[in-house]
Amino acid sequence: MSAHSHNHDKDKQDLNKFGYAQELLRSMGGFSNFAISFSIISILTGAVSLYGHGLKYGGPGMMGFGWPLVALFVMFIAACLAELASAIPTAGALYHWASILKNKRWGWYTAWINLIGQIGIVAGIDYSVSIFADPLLASAFGYTSTLTTTLIVFAVILLSHGILNHIGIKMVARLNDFSAWYHIAIVAVLVLTLAFLSKNGLNSVDYLFQVGQTFSDKPYMFAFLIGLLQAQWTFTGYDASAHTIEETVNPRVRAPWGIFNSVAYSFVFGFIMLAFVTLSIKDVAAANGSDNAFIYIISDALGNTFGNVILWLVTAAMWFCGLSSITSFSRMMYAFSRDKGMPFSGQWAQISKKYRTPAKAIWLAVILSFLLAFIDYIIKSANPDAAYTTIAFLTAVSVVGLYLAYGIPIFLKLIAVSQGKFQKKHLGPWHLGRYSNFIAVVSLLWIVFICVIMVIPPNEMAGYAVLGMMVLLIIMDFAYYKKHFQGPQAALATSMEDILRRERELEQGSSSKPGVTRQA
C-alpha cells in the first residue's frame, strides 16, 4: 500500500475513534492547512484596516511596541491550541476539546461563543475590504463613497466568497495556497516601494519606537491599551487550521504547525510591513485626521496613481482573507450542526453531493455576517454622530468572542491535568512537554486582560453586543439545549481513556482486514 493511501487510512481511523465518519474530502496538505490560517490572520487586513486606530491611540510606538507585545502572547495561545489540535483532531475543534475535557454543556457554550466571534471576524474582514474597495471604486467610476455604498460593496464581496466556497474545497484550497504567497509578495512590494520610491524618504528608525503621542482624549498608557485592538484583531482566526483538520492529510502534525506557524510568520512579516509604513509618515497629525490613515500615508509617499495601484493590491489580499474566513466559519457550523447543536441542525450539517462542501452552512455564515454589519448600519444611520467606528465595533466583537472561546478549552485542560484526567499519554505528536501548564496560565491571563480592554470606551458598543448575544445564548440554553443537544459524538466517550481504548479497538479491527497495515 502506498504511503499516501496509508496516511489517509490512519487519518480516517483517528477520526473514527471520536465517533465520526470521514465525510469531507481529505485533500489538504500541510502548506494548505497553514495557508488558510495565515490568510485569515492576513496582516494586510487587520494591521492595515485598523492602522488608523492604532496610530490614533498609540502613535508610532503602537507599531514598534504594541505589535510585538501582542504577538508574543498570541504565540503562547496558539501553542496551547496547537497542542489540543494534535490530541483531538476533529473539525469541531474548540468545542469538541471542551466537551471531551469537561462535559457537553461546556462544549455547547464554547461553540456558541466561538460562533459569535466567527460572525464578527467574517463581518470585520469583509467590511475591511469594502472600506478600501469602495473609495477606490468611487474614484474610478465618479460616485461618492458613503455608508450605503460601502454596505453594498460589502454585500457583493460576501456573495463572491459564498459562491466560491460553495463550488468546492479544492478551488478554495488552491486560492488559499496562492493567497499565502500573494500576501508575502505584496508585503515585499509594499516594503520595497516605500524603501526606495517614497517621495519624502523615511524617518529614522527610532521614530518607530516613539511613545507618548496620542490623538485621543485618554492618558497615553490607557490609550495605548485601547490601540492594541489593531494587533489583537489581526491575530485572530488561526484556529481555522483546526476547523479544516478533517480535510487535512496527517492532521495531528500538520494542523498544529499550521496554527503556530501562521502566527509566527504573521508576526515577522507584519512587523516589517508596519515598520516601513510608519517610517514613511511625514505628517502624523494629517494622517490621523484623514478618513483612512493607511491610504493617506501610501498616497502621500508614493503619489496618487502609484499609490492606488498598491492599495488595489492590498485590497485583493483582504479579499483572499475573507474567502478563507468563510471556509473556517462554515466548517465550524457544520461540525456543530452535525452534533445537533444549532436549531435546524439537519440543514446546516448537509453536505453538497456534487461539491462535498457544507453548502447550507456556508450561506448561513454569509447571511449572519451581513446581518451584524447591517444592524450596525441601521444604528449609525439613526445616530450619525456616534463616536465609535463600524470596523472597531465588528473587530472588537470578534476578538472577545474568539478569545473567550480559545480560553475555555485551555482552562479546562489545566483542570483535567490537575485532576489526572489528561496525562502525557493523551497528548498527540505535537505538544509542549513540561512547559505546557506554564504557557497555558500565561495565555489565560492575557485572554482575560485583552477581553476587558476590548470592551471599554470607546468600544463599549462591542461589549453591549457581546453581552446581548450572551443573554440570547442563556435563553437558548433553556429553550433548545436541554431538549435537543445530546452532545458531540466526540464526548460520548466519557474520558480520554475511553477514546484511547476505542483507538486500540479500531487498530485491532483494521489489522485483521486484508490489505490494511496496522499502525504501529
Side-chain angles (χ1 to χ4, degrees):
M1 177 175 287
S2 68
H4 180 73
S5 299
H6 179 76
N7 282 335
H8 274 71
D9 212 41
K10 179 61 171 68
D11 298 342
K12 181 181 178 180
Q13 288 183 13
D14 280 340
L15 184 59
N16 292 161
K17 76 180 182 184
F18 291 99
Y20 296 111
Q22 181 69 54
E23 293 184 286
L24 296 170
L25 181 64
R26 195 180 287 276
S27 62
M28 297 178 73
F31 183 80
S32 294
N33 185 277
F34 155 82
I36 190 169
S37 286
F38 185 72
S39 294
I40 292 178
I41 291 175
S42 182
I43 54 178
L44 289 169
T45 301
V48 167
S49 60
L50 286 175
Y51 185 88
H53 180 89
L55 189 68
K56 174 181 178 179
Y57 287 98
M62 178 59 63
M63 317 305 160
F65 289 113
W67 182 268
L69 174 68
V70 170
L72 171 64
F73 287 105
V74 171
M75 288 179 71
F76 275 45
I77 297 167
C80 291
L81 298 185
E83 185 176 58
L84 284 167
S86 185
I88 308 170
T90 64
L94 304 171
Y95 102 92
H96 278 185
W97 305 341
S99 298
I100 291 171
L101 292 168
K102 187 63 176 178
N103 55 47
K104 67 175 185 176
R105 196 182 198 89
W106 279 87
W108 192 81
Y109 272 93
T110 302
W112 275 101
I113 294 170
N114 187 23
L115 191 145
I116 291 169
Q118 291 280 1
I119 295 171
I121 196 171
V122 172
I125 290 169
D126 277 2
Y127 201 84
S128 296
V129 186
S130 66
I131 61 177
F132 271 72
D134 190 43
L136 292 169
L137 290 169
S139 177
F141 293 101
Y143 68 87
T144 301
S145 176
T146 65
L147 279 176
T148 302
T149 59
T150 301
L151 186 71
I152 292 171
V153 173
F154 170 68
V156 172
I157 291 164
L158 273 173
L159 183 64
S160 69
H161 290 155
I163 291 171
L164 282 172
N165 270 281
H166 188 152
I167 287 173
I169 187 60
K170 286 186 176 181
M171 178 182 293
V172 172
R174 285 194 291 268
L175 288 172
N176 284 332
D177 290 353
F178 174 76
S179 172
W181 291 114
Y182 182 82
H183 272 75
I184 294 171
I186 299 307
V187 168
V189 169
L190 181 60
V191 166
L192 290 173
T193 52
L194 290 175
F196 297 106
L197 300 178
S198 179
K199 295 189 299 181
N200 304 313
L202 300 177
N203 296 311
S204 60
V205 175
D206 61 337
Y207 182 73
L208 181 64
F209 301 98
Q210 179 179 304
V211 295
Q213 184 179 39
T214 180
F215 295 93
S216 72
D217 58 356
K218 312 281 193 239
Y220 182 75
M221 286 307 298
F222 185 60
F224 182 88
L225 295 178
I226 294 173
L228 291 178
L229 174 63
Q230 178 200 11
Q232 194 67 55
W233 182 61
T234 304
F235 291 109
T236 52
Y238 44 89
D239 56 314
S241 291
H243 290 304
T244 54
I245 205 164
E246 291 181 27
E247 297 160 85
T248 302
V249 179
N250 193 17
R252 303 187 83 172
V253 174
R254 287 175 169 172
W257 278 120
I259 293 170
F260 187 78
N261 284 341
S262 63
V263 173
Y265 280 87
S266 295
F267 161 51
V268 173
F269 287 110
F271 183 76
I272 294 170
M273 178 191 72
L274 288 174
F276 277 88
V277 171
T278 304
L279 294 177
S280 300
I281 298 175
K282 288 306 166 188
D283 188 341
V284 67
N288 177 70
S290 65
D291 291 335
N292 188 307
F294 187 88
I295 291 177
Y296 176 89
I297 294 166
I298 298 303
S299 299
D300 185 53
L302 302 176
N304 286 331
T305 302
F306 189 46
N308 279 352
V309 172
I310 296 296
L311 290 170
W312 271 116
L313 294 173
V314 170
T315 303
M318 294 181 178
W319 183 90
F320 283 119
C321 174
L323 178 69
S324 301
S325 68
I326 289 287
T327 307
S328 175
F329 187 9
S330 62
R331 269 45 176 192
M332 179 265 159
M333 282 199 295
Y334 158 75
F336 193 32
S337 298
R338 182 173 59 180
D339 295 323
K340 298 180 174 58
M342 296 176 64
F344 309 107
S345 285
Q347 297 295 316
W348 320 128
Q350 286 183 14
I351 299 294
S352 167
K353 293 181 180 179
K354 182 176 181 180
Y355 299 111
R356 293 192 68 184
T357 57
K360 292 184 178 179
I362 289 167
W363 289 108
L364 181 60
V366 168
I367 292 168
L368 291 174
S369 301
F370 177 79
L371 285 176
L372 182 62
F374 183 70
I375 291 169
D376 178 78
Y377 169 79
I378 297 298
I379 295 172
K380 292 294 285 287
S381 297
N383 184 21
D385 297 324
Y388 76 95
T389 63
T390 298
I391 191 64
F393 164 71
L394 296 175
T395 53
V397 168
S398 67
V399 166
V400 175
L402 287 175
Y403 274 91
L404 283 176
Y406 294 170
I408 290 172
I410 296 174
F411 170 73
L412 294 179
K413 178 177 172 292
L414 276 177
I415 299 299
V417 168
S418 68
Q419 295 174 343
K421 296 179 180 178
F422 191 99
Q423 302 172 23
K424 288 183 180 180
K425 61 185 177 182
H426 301 131
L427 294 168
W430 201 105
H431 59 84
L432 300 171
R434 60 179 178 173
Y435 300 104
S436 179
N437 288 350
F438 169 76
I439 292 173
V441 170
V442 173
S443 298
L444 290 172
L445 290 174
W446 180 256
I447 288 171
V448 171
F449 169 74
I450 206 66
C451 285
V452 172
I453 295 298
M454 292 302 104
V455 297
I456 58 177
N459 287 337
E460 67 271 22
M461 281 298 296
Y464 297 149
V466 173
L467 181 61
M469 291 178 183
M470 292 299 293
V471 170
L472 181 61
L473 179 54
I474 292 172
I475 294 171
M476 286 186 62
D477 187 342
F478 292 97
Y480 182 85
Y481 168 82
K482 291 183 177 179
K483 296 180 181 178
H484 302 283
F485 187 62
Q486 296 179 350
Q489 291 294 318
L492 292 182
T494 56
S495 69
M496 291 298 295
E497 288 295 333
D498 292 326
I499 291 169
L500 288 175
R501 175 180 50 76
R502 185 183 295 181
E503 178 179 23
R504 289 192 295 270
E505 290 173 353
L506 285 167
E507 288 181 347
Q508 289 168 1
S510 296
S511 64
S512 64
K513 295 178 182 179
V516 178
T517 304
R518 180 179 178 181
Q519 177 72 15

